[in-house]
Amino acid sequence: GAGVSQSPSNKVTEKGKDVELRCDPISGHTALYWYRQSLGQGLEFLIYFQGNSAPDKSGLPSDRFSAERTGGSVSTLTIQRTQQEDSAVYLCASSLGLAGEGAWNEQFFGPGTRLTVL
Amino acid sequence: RKEVEQDPGPFNVPEGATVAFNCTYSNSASQSFFWYRQDCRKEPKLLMSVYSSGNEDGRFTAQLNRASQYISLLIRDSKLSDSATYLCVVNTNSGYSTLTFGKGTMLLVSP
């Protein structure tokens, strides 16, 4: 079946512009995550959506970053007034989102969007 | 102290070698542990989960020491195709999974 898809695959923008990154999770996955990976760095958690619950925004680095998930499926990550330090690969992942003590839900990653801010 | 620490490498080994990666985590409340593999310019993919009793999947063996907050991955009989970055991953929340990733250890297997 289809995996997680993201668009665009590459985005080059000028400092100060706004950008929108899109993620289509695997059908039936209720949990959706955004991470970013800067050059030579590990994956940094940004935000997490689970069903209709309020998202966990604890990883967003500043108020220039926001994300929404419409209809429990597609998600958009928006970065306003982009800065050069925002340049990174933005990865989206989805999982089944099963609840319960010790429940493990494998996260499946999309190919990422490589953002370059000039 | 970083939440998940790994030796960044790179580890350069010849084909057929055995190589071990180590990882430490800082949060003693961590619940689940994993190794992910990330090929160059690709997304991470789950390699294997790590269980308290240790587990093996073919040439790969994972170990967990909760007392020392230490995780390891052993790769035997290395193949060229094993060249990748190996990410140590920890889930601190029970139930819903928010993962904390190490920066990864790069492995280069040469002929």
Side-chain angles (χ1 to χ4, degrees):
Chain A
V4 178
S5 61
Q6 292 186 245
S7 61
S9 54
N10 282 283
K11 176 72 177 178
V12 180
T13 190
E14 293 179 348
K15 178 182 172 181
K17 301 280 190 182
D18 297 352
V19 296
E20 282 191 355
L21 313 179
R22 177 188 167 106
C23 172
D24 282 86
I26 293 172
S27 178
H29 280 191
T30 60
L32 186 147
Y33 315 78
W34 282 98
Y35 297 88
R36 74 175 175 183
Q37 188 172 32
S38 304
L39 190 64
Q41 300 296 312
L43 270 76
E44 175 188 8
F45 166 76
L46 297 177
I47 188 169
Y48 160 61
F49 295 90
Q50 170 57 41
N52 295 321
S53 302
D56 176 357
K57 304 180 182 180
S58 60
L60 294 178
S62 79
D63 58 8
R64 297 186 295 104
F65 288 73
S66 62
E68 61 178 25
R69 189 178 184 193
T70 54
S73 181
V74 172
S75 177
T76 302
L77 177 70
T78 301
I79 309 173
Q80 295 179 310
R81 305 181 302 282
T82 52
Q83 303 295 313
Q84 289 182 330
E85 62 262 27
D86 299 335
S87 297
V89 176
Y90 288 81
L91 289 158
C92 174
S94 71
S95 73
L96 286 171
L98 297 174
E101 187 71 25
W104 159 242
N105 302 278
E106 180 182 350
Q107 294 186 19
F108 295 84
F109 284 82
T113 294
R114 185 172 299 275
L115 175 66
T116 303
V117 182
L118 301 176
Chain B
R1 181 181 173 188
K2 295 192 186 303
E3 290 191 61
V4 180
E5 291 202 63
Q6 296 182 249
D7 184 334
F11 283 38
N12 288 282
V13 302
E15 271 187 294
T18 296
V19 61
F21 303 134
N22 302 318
C23 169
T24 56
Y25 60 94
S26 61
N27 190 333
S28 59
S30 298
Q31 301 277 337
S32 311
F33 310 88
F34 313 91
W35 286 100
Y36 273 68
R37 169 190 169 133
Q38 186 172 25
D39 292 291
C40 188
R41 301 179 79 87
K42 298 285 189 181
E43 70 273 21
K45 293 184 179 179
L46 180 65
L47 177 66
M48 59 195 302
S49 301
V50 186
Y51 303 120
S52 295
S53 55
N55 49 300
E56 188 173 307
D57 183 3
R59 299 181 292 108
F60 299 83
T61 300
Q63 298 276 355
L64 167 65
N65 184 323
R66 285 187 185 270
S68 301
Q69 297 180 202
Y70 169 91
I71 306 159
S72 67
L73 176 67
L74 185 75
I75 304 176
R76 292 181 300 277
D77 188 23
S78 300
K79 311 292 185 190
L80 295 176
S81 57
D82 293 334
S83 296
T85 296
Y86 291 82
L87 306 173
C88 178
V89 186
V90 172
N91 171 16
T92 304
N93 300 322
S94 62
Y96 303 118
S97 46
T98 301
L99 302 179
T100 302
F101 287 76
K103 291 186 178 181
T105 299
M106 183 181 291
L107 172 66
L108 301 171
V109 182
S110 54

